[in-house]
Amino acid sequence: MNMSLFSLQVIKCKAAVLWGLKQPFSIEEVEVAPPKAYEVRIKILATGICRTDEHVISGAISTKFPVIVGHEASGIVESIGEGVTTVKPGDKVIPLLLPQCGKCSSCINPNANCCVKADLTGKGVLSDGTTRFTCKGQPIYHFVNVSSFSEYTVVEETSVAKIDAAAPLEKVCLMGCGFSTGYGAAMKTAKVTPGSTCVVFGLGGVGLSVIMGCKSAGASRIIGIDLNKDKFDKAKSVGATECINPKDYTKPIHEVLSEMTDNSVGYTFEVVGSLETMIDALTSCHPSYGTSVVVGAPPSSKMLTYDPMLLFTGRTWKGCILGGWKTRDDIPKLVCDFMAKKFDLDPLITHVLPFNKISEGFDLLCKGESIRSVLLM
Ligand code: COD
Ligand code: ZN
Ligand code: ZN
């Protein structure tokens, strides 16, 4: 019997609603509709604050308002819609900003993960074109199929990964975005080789996760770069062998790196999201065998000019979303690796706050004081 039949009713709960651009979060009582066919209603228990959520508030990423953002979360399945077979009420899960439908050309290709069902353009609705949230009689839009700044959310079955029942939800929520993005950029997308030299531009939570990935892959030298030297100690604690600030040099950073490494940089990672560092990172990897990965989301509708000679000599330039992982397959495996202590998430979690202190969490992010704040519902 479909267990969701027991709970097919609207749930009233707390959510942080953004009513418009550059507006503060407003904690509201919202109605969360029951899951329709092939949908899952999740009780969110922990959710991290990611820079991309802030980009919605500022307008750097366009979405429809009013909206419930939040996309780095963990929780427990509350009920399931008709036809759902891969999760059941009570399962621990991570909702996925990048679905894995298993059928589209990306899902079928072993080297791709950008599923056609992903909402990367801010449609803000589920597959049937409607939302499952209402507040004060008004529909509230979803964000990247997740909307975790709510005590309950509804996602599609293709946007949920079932994880180990013993996983600590207040930590593994970071697998929903920041950690997986950085770690995967090194392990899955670049496929860093043992003994290599890696350079990471930007030492926020995602950059630190790239460093952890380079370390796990066996890189022997990992150079961290940031304009803020306060980021260096943490970077070294997770595996950077040295850290530099471009402001301390008059030479261009690629020349500094070439001299430091005797021209042997195998991999560079752009984890800032700026056009200048994308070019710096490309230029800094070895002209013939170097690979540079764009991890930071590029600013919307900005173009880049570069000297094609940089590629002509043999460099590889690639990008990835969510580290390149196939989300439903790989995120549960990452949780297993975490449980097996292959890496630690504690260095990334600088603040833990109750959900109603969400605005405080965003202030910490904007002041550069937090790596990741985790909100507990
Ligand atoms: N050179 C070096 N470091 C710099 C520079 C610069 N020119 N400018 C800023 N920095 C440093 C800052 O001091 C800071 O330490 C760091 O770069 C950025 O860190 P945070 O804490 O602001 O951000 P993160 O690490 O949480 O995330 C940064 C990304 C750029 C990766 C993020 O915003 C992003 O674009 N994510 C998209 C990637 C993805 O797949 N996302 C999935 C959904 S979000
Ligand atoms: Zn994110
Ligand atoms: Zn797909």
Side-chain angles (χ1 to χ4, degrees):
M1 195 203 306
N2 183 341
M3 294 176 78
S4 67
L5 292 178
F6 294 116
S7 54
L8 286 181
Q9 54 213 339
V10 169
I11 289 180
K12 286 187 180 188
C13 70
K14 263 193 309 181
V17 177
L18 287 171
W19 288 101
L21 202 61
K22 296 178 185 159
Q23 302 281 305
F25 284 104
S26 175
I27 305 276
E28 306 277 4
E29 184 179 84
V30 298
E31 294 87 37
V32 185
K36 293 189 181 177
Y38 306 105
E39 293 176 357
V40 178
R41 188 159 59 184
I42 301 171
K43 180 173 174 51
I44 298 290
L45 289 171
T47 176
I49 295 178
C50 171
R51 179 69 63 180
T52 302
D53 299 311
E54 202 270 317
H55 286 336
V56 172
I57 304 172
S58 72
I61 290 181
S62 48
T63 5
K64 289 185 187 141
F65 290 94
V67 65
I68 296 173
V69 293
H71 62 278
E72 182 179 87
S74 56
I76 290 178
V77 173
E78 178 272 336
S79 57
I80 54 177
E82 207 186 309
V84 171
T85 55
T86 56
V87 292
K88 59 182 187 314
D91 284 348
K92 279 191 180 174
V93 291
I94 291 184
L96 303 168
L97 68 104
L98 203 55
Q100 186 184 344
C101 77
K103 294 178 188 150
C104 73
S105 56
S106 282
C107 285
I108 290 167
N109 187 296
N111 299 314
N113 74 338
C114 200
C115 176
V116 74
K117 288 194 80 179
D119 180 12
L120 298 180
T121 55
K123 287 197 287 286
V125 288
L126 299 187
S127 283
D128 72 344
T130 64
T131 88
R132 300 291 165 272
F133 299 109
T134 49
C135 181
K136 297 175 180 161
Q138 216 180 315
I140 309 291
Y141 289 104
H142 296 245
F143 180 57
V144 291
N145 296 317
V146 177
S147 294
S148 58
F149 292 159
S150 174
E151 289 174 315
Y152 288 85
T153 189
V154 176
V155 305
E156 296 183 26
E157 187 180 14
T158 50
S159 291
V160 56
K162 180 179 168 174
I163 58 164
D164 186 334
L169 293 180
E170 71 286 2
K171 295 187 185 185
V172 297
C173 57
L174 299 196
M175 301 283 183
C177 181
F179 175 78
S180 306
T181 298
Y183 194 75
M187 297 282 282
K188 173 96 180 171
T189 301
K191 297 191 171 66
V192 165
T193 49
S196 58
T197 294
C198 301
V199 177
V200 182
F201 289 75
L203 305 176
V206 182
L208 295 175
S209 305
V210 173
I211 292 175
M212 292 186 206
C214 295
K215 188 181 169 188
S216 290
S220 47
R221 213 168 160 189
I222 305 169
I223 304 172
I225 299 186
D226 204 294
L227 299 176
N228 179 355
K229 66 174 174 22
D230 294 345
K231 305 279 177 164
F232 293 175
D233 284 347
K234 183 61 75 74
K236 286 180 186 163
S237 78
V238 299
T241 52
E242 58 233 281
C243 290
I244 59 172
N245 184 341
K247 284 196 273 186
D248 293 340
Y249 301 86
T250 47
K251 280 185 192 169
I253 195 70
H254 67 270
E255 286 181 23
V256 174
L257 289 163
S258 174
E259 282 169 21
M260 274 174 81
T261 63
D262 196 17
N263 193 23
S264 66
V265 176
Y267 304 91
T268 61
F269 299 87
E270 199 284 343
V271 206
V272 176
S274 106
L275 300 181
E276 295 81 61
T277 40
M278 287 175 193
I279 295 295
D280 284 344
L282 176 65
T283 314
S284 298
C285 71
H286 190 277
S288 182
Y289 60 76
T291 294
S292 186
V293 183
V294 174
V295 186
S300 305
S301 49
K302 290 266 164 55
M303 295 293 160
L304 196 57
T305 42
Y306 67 96
D307 179 355
M309 188 57 81
L310 290 168
L311 297 180
F312 187 65
T313 56
R315 288 179 178 88
T316 302
W317 202 9
K318 54 203 312 198
C320 59
I321 297 185
L322 215 93
W325 300 114
K326 285 206 180 280
T327 51
R328 296 195 88 198
D329 294 343
D330 292 333
I331 300 243
K333 291 183 197 156
L334 284 173
V335 171
C336 289
D337 287 349
F338 170 71
M339 300 301 282
K341 298 195 171 15
K342 292 193 183 165
F343 48 79
D344 189 8
L345 294 171
D346 288 347
L348 302 177
I349 303 172
T350 51
H351 299 79
V352 179
L353 301 166
F355 179 50
N356 58 14
K357 294 212 168 149
I358 182 168
S359 300
E360 205 172 296
F362 275 81
D363 288 345
L364 290 163
L365 174 79
C366 293
K367 284 191 269 172
E369 286 173 19
S370 57
I371 299 287
R372 273 299 196 260
S373 293
V374 171
L375 304 172
L376 300 181
M377 316 305 265

